Amino acid sequence: MVVCGDDALAHRLAAELRDVYGERVTLVVPSARERHRPRIPPPARALERAGALLGRVSAAMTRTTPLPSEEAADGAEPPEETVRVLEAAQPDDAALIEAGIVEAGALALVYDDDELNIHAALRARRLNPRLRLVIRLYNRKLGQHLEELLDQAAAVAALGAGDAEAVDASTTVLSDADTVAPALAATAVAGTSKVIEADGLLLRAVERAPVPPGRPGGPGLCTLALLSASANDPAEAPSSAPGDEGPVLLPDDAAAAEAAGCGTVVLETVSYTGRPVRPRGLRGRGAPLASLFSRRLRWSLAGVVGAVVALAVAGSLTTGEDPVHAAYLSLLDLFAINEPAIHDPTPRKVLQLLSGLTGLLLLPVLVAAAFEGLGTFRSASALRRPPRGLSGHVVLLGLGKVGTRVLARLHEMGIPVVCIEGDPDARGIALARRLRVPTVLGDVTQEGVLEAAMIERAATLLALTSEDTTNLEAALYARSVKPRLRVTLRLFDDRFATAVYRTLRAAHPRALTRSRSVTYLAAPAFAGAMMGRQILGAIPVERRVLLVARVEVRGHTALEGRTVAEVLRPGRLRVLAVDTSAPDGPETDGTSAAPSPDTEREPAHLVHELGDGYVLRPQDRVLLVATRQGLGDLHVRRPRPAGAGARQG
């Protein structure tokens, strides 16, 4: 794997590929002495390896640094693993060739410059048409066109070379904001960002303590692993205990039921359980009366109408006129366009005076209605206020690049959101206006802004502005209003984030606090894309890893025409869900691209909903969890020697 970048994301991505997937990485940076470090520390074991990687860099053009060996992902003998750091001012042909791009399996271009990434991607595709590309771009439309162009170039090159072997030479364009939005949205729902989003489902792996015999365990979708005995030992050393064979991955239901006294890793589905807000306000070209006029104004109009009806009835009874004609005369008197009743009986004179008085009362009510209706239409086209009775919602602070993507994701999940933004021209204001999301314009550090967003009745605060102090101040004030509020902070400085996290946890031990950075959340998504389009995420289990993948059934003999029970391979592969929403279409290979994020599809059906006897159709798409060897056996990316299954991605 080759990673080219000039900021903290490149270093985090290299550490993710090395620590989680066990890949050999070549890191190409402008200067090995630049202080681009991950701002939020990874786990202790990953931090030790990342420090070994980033701390042993010299000023030499290239240097190979051996890392401490460890067990392979699936328990095989550890291969010889090295990490290289290459200094290159620009990712030109010479630098890419020296990085080993011709023999590489994947290349990630994560420079903070779209033009530089595009130039490097075009060079890399020309040098190695079989290369899997992952590109960091902020322009989404340009990224879609670039994906099509580079994929077409790879297909033409493979056709010209007569390469009949199926090679995943895909191109994936990602942006920081798009990749971190699901994780931040998951934090608002589940309280943790360690959630994998797949085909409309939110899945998370939960480690559970041993359950005494005879006592049922908690609910879960399936058991991913049975933990080893040393996993529950507080005095466990970094290395496994002697004689400990490690965790049992992907056990079948019988083995999971018989296992007693050992911890488990269970997969759960995550969903929002709060009360969704019914959409209000303008719809289409019409508008309900409640959104146009206030309650007080509606009562005033109702009183005037009642007075007119009463005058019409009284006129009909006293003068003997037809009710319709009496109502007509009352309206003429109401608008002061009738002749004075000088020669009429006294009751008629009294009714005319009362009608004139009612007309005087109606005039300010009509003016108020006109102004209020005009103001409602103007505010409806701008921003909406938080509705009354709102509770259990998410307060989203900051509608910048990241906040905008998070807002779109939360809206798709049906979670009520109230936004706070100090800049009326911010990127996400237009989206909030279009989605009719309640938004409070104001400086969150000023008194009354968080109260306007109903922070005292909220469930979660997502502080995603680009200012650390602003996010911290909002979190502290929100905690003073609601001590058990779930808070997620976006903090850039690593030491500052650590200090804030520990202090908030110490001050509010019963409340959930999370501090996140964009690079920390984006690195796993980029790493998964480098392993292949089908890889959605990884679930570490002690010293091993399970991969969650999305695979097209068509073209896989181990899947097509088989039942879900037949696909199950204990210890290697298990089907979690099946997406049956794709219609019958033309023949496509197993490496077809995933649908666009903007394409709406029905959520996938979980296995327990379809049953183990469901027969997989060619147009289906399965969501499965597998070991590296199990996934490699299902979809081999290139011929490999015997015993290399644990290194297969």
Side-chain angles (χ1 to χ4, degrees):
M1 301 291 175
V2 180
V3 178
C4 301
D6 57 357
D7 60 2
L9 179 58
H11 294 273
R12 283 207 181 274
L13 180 53
E16 182 81 11
L17 290 169
R18 170 61 182 84
D19 298 330
V20 177
Y21 295 97
E23 292 286 343
R24 292 174 294 176
V25 184
T26 297
L27 181 60
V28 182
V29 292
S31 174
R33 288 191 174 91
E34 288 187 3
R35 295 183 178 180
H36 293 305
R37 296 292 186 270
R39 294 188 174 96
I40 297 180
R45 185 167 57 90
L47 180 60
E48 180 181 353
R49 298 197 197 111
L53 166 63
L54 301 176
R56 300 178 182 177
V57 177
S58 67
M61 189 65 179
T62 58
R63 178 176 176 180
T64 301
T65 305
L67 291 182
S69 61
E70 65 162 346
E71 294 177 336
D74 292 328
E77 291 296 325
E80 182 181 0
E81 296 176 345
T82 59
V83 175
R84 287 201 309 164
V85 177
L86 171 65
E87 287 188 8
Q90 296 289 334
D92 52 12
D93 290 355
L96 292 176
I97 292 175
E98 190 170 1
I101 201 67
V102 178
E103 298 83 12
L107 167 66
L109 299 167
V110 293
Y111 291 99
D112 197 19
D113 185 349
D114 286 4
E115 185 176 356
L116 185 61
N117 289 331
I118 293 174
H119 289 175
L122 296 175
R123 294 190 185 99
R125 180 60 79 204
R126 175 175 51 82
L127 294 173
N128 186 356
R130 299 162 56 95
L131 185 68
R132 187 184 301 121
L133 290 175
V134 178
I135 309 170
R136 174 188 186 183
L137 287 184
Y138 294 99
N139 192 327
R140 301 178 67 185
K141 292 184 179 179
L142 178 60
Q144 295 177 358
H145 295 304
L146 185 63
E147 279 187 1
E148 297 175 358
L149 175 64
L150 294 177
D151 285 345
Q152 185 177 0
V156 171
L159 182 63
D163 190 1
E165 181 187 355
V167 178
D168 183 10
S170 60
T171 303
T172 305
V173 176
L174 300 174
S175 71
D176 297 355
D178 290 331
T179 53
V180 304
L184 291 173
T187 305
V189 177
T192 176
S193 59
K194 297 180 180 179
V195 175
I196 296 176
E197 179 189 14
D199 296 333
L201 301 174
L202 287 178
L203 306 174
R204 67 174 173 180
V206 179
E207 184 174 333
R208 293 180 177 173
V211 179
R215 181 178 300 178
L221 183 60
C222 68
T223 301
L224 296 179
L226 303 177
L227 300 178
S228 59
S230 61
N232 301 313
D233 186 1
E236 177 193 3
S239 59
S240 299
D244 190 357
E245 299 180 356
V248 178
L249 302 181
L250 300 178
D252 55 14
D253 295 338
E258 294 175 358
C262 66
T264 58
V265 178
V266 181
L267 192 66
E268 295 180 347
T269 57
V270 180
S271 60
Y272 176 71
T273 57
R275 182 180 61 182
V277 179
R278 293 182 301 175
R280 301 179 182 177
L282 303 179
R283 291 184 179 180
R285 297 183 179 179
L289 184 63
S291 65
L292 287 176
F293 307 121
S294 64
R295 185 176 182 180
R296 181 180 301 177
L297 185 59
R298 294 197 303 270
W299 277 110
S300 301
L301 289 174
V304 172
V305 172
V308 172
V309 172
L311 291 173
V313 172
S316 176
L317 294 177
T318 56
T319 61
E321 298 284 349
D322 182 73
V324 177
H325 185 67
Y328 174 70
L329 293 177
S330 298
L331 291 176
L332 292 178
D333 295 334
L334 186 70
F335 295 112
I337 57 177
N338 198 8
E339 294 183 358
I342 298 176
H343 304 291
D344 292 344
T346 302
R348 171 71 181 119
K349 295 179 180 179
V350 174
L351 290 176
Q352 190 176 53
L353 292 175
L354 293 176
S355 298
L357 179 61
T358 305
L360 293 177
L361 298 176
L362 178 62
L363 181 61
V365 174
L366 293 178
V367 174
F371 278 105
E372 190 165 316
L374 179 61
T376 301
F377 272 109
R378 294 182 62 182
S379 61
S381 62
L383 295 172
R384 177 188 169 198
R385 295 180 179 179
R388 297 180 180 179
L390 181 63
S391 62
H393 58 286
V394 176
V395 176
L396 176 59
L397 173 58
L399 289 177
K401 182 177 62 176
V402 176
T404 302
R405 296 289 187 263
V406 175
L407 172 60
R409 180 61 189 143
L410 292 174
H411 182 77
E412 292 173 0
M413 298 170 64
I415 300 176
V417 185
V418 176
C419 302
I420 300 177
E421 176 57 51
D423 183 9
D425 298 326
R427 182 191 299 263
I429 291 294
L431 178 63
R433 181 187 300 112
R434 179 169 59 86
L435 298 179
R436 300 289 298 133
V437 175
T439 304
V440 178
L441 287 177
D443 186 358
V444 71
T445 60
Q446 299 296 325
E447 185 177 358
V449 176
L450 280 173
E451 285 81 355
M454 300 183 179
I455 192 64
E456 70 279 359
R457 305 179 64 178
T460 305
L461 171 65
L462 294 179
L464 306 180
T465 69
S466 57
E467 296 291 336
D468 287 3
T469 55
T470 300
N471 295 335
L472 177 59
E473 184 174 356
L476 294 177
Y477 184 76
R479 278 285 170 81
S480 66
V481 176
K482 188 176 182 180
R484 301 191 64 176
L485 180 70
R486 181 185 299 162
V487 174
T488 298
L489 302 177
R490 178 190 178 190
L491 300 178
F492 292 86
D493 185 78
D494 186 15
R495 297 180 180 178
F496 183 56
T498 303
V500 168
Y501 172 77
R502 292 176 178 175
T503 304
L504 288 179
R505 286 301 302 269
H508 304 278
R510 295 186 178 182
L512 188 60
T513 305
R514 291 290 183 267
S515 57
R516 294 291 183 261
S517 70
V518 172
T519 56
Y520 180 87
L521 297 175
F526 280 82
M530 292 186 70
M531 300 302 299
R533 272 183 175 173
Q534 73 274 18
I535 303 297
L536 300 178
I539 301 175
V541 180
E542 298 185 21
R543 299 173 65 87
R544 303 183 184 181
V545 65
L546 292 174
L547 302 179
V548 179
R550 178 198 293 119
V551 179
E552 302 285 346
V553 173
R554 194 186 308 275
H556 290 84
T557 57
L559 300 177
E560 190 171 351
R562 298 179 180 269
T563 64
V564 174
E566 294 173 346
V567 175
L568 173 63
R569 299 179 61 190
R572 292 197 175 188
L573 185 144
R574 183 176 190 134
V575 177
L576 301 177
V578 181
D579 184 0
T580 61
S581 61
D584 295 336
E587 291 287 335
T588 58
D589 58 14
T591 61
S592 58
S596 172
D598 298 332
T599 304
E600 294 186 1
R601 302 182 62 154
E602 298 179 0
H605 299 281
L606 297 173
V607 168
H608 68 80
E609 298 174 351
L610 297 174
D612 293 337
Y614 177 80
V615 179
L616 298 177
R617 305 173 301 169
Q619 66 269 21
D620 289 341
R621 188 173 62 179
V622 297
L623 180 68
L624 52 88
V625 57
T627 62
R628 294 168 60 85
Q629 185 176 359
L631 188 61
D633 294 340
L634 180 67
H635 186 74
V636 179
R637 67 182 180 185
R638 61 170 59 93
R640 49 182 175 155
R647 295 287 304 142
Q648 191 66 36

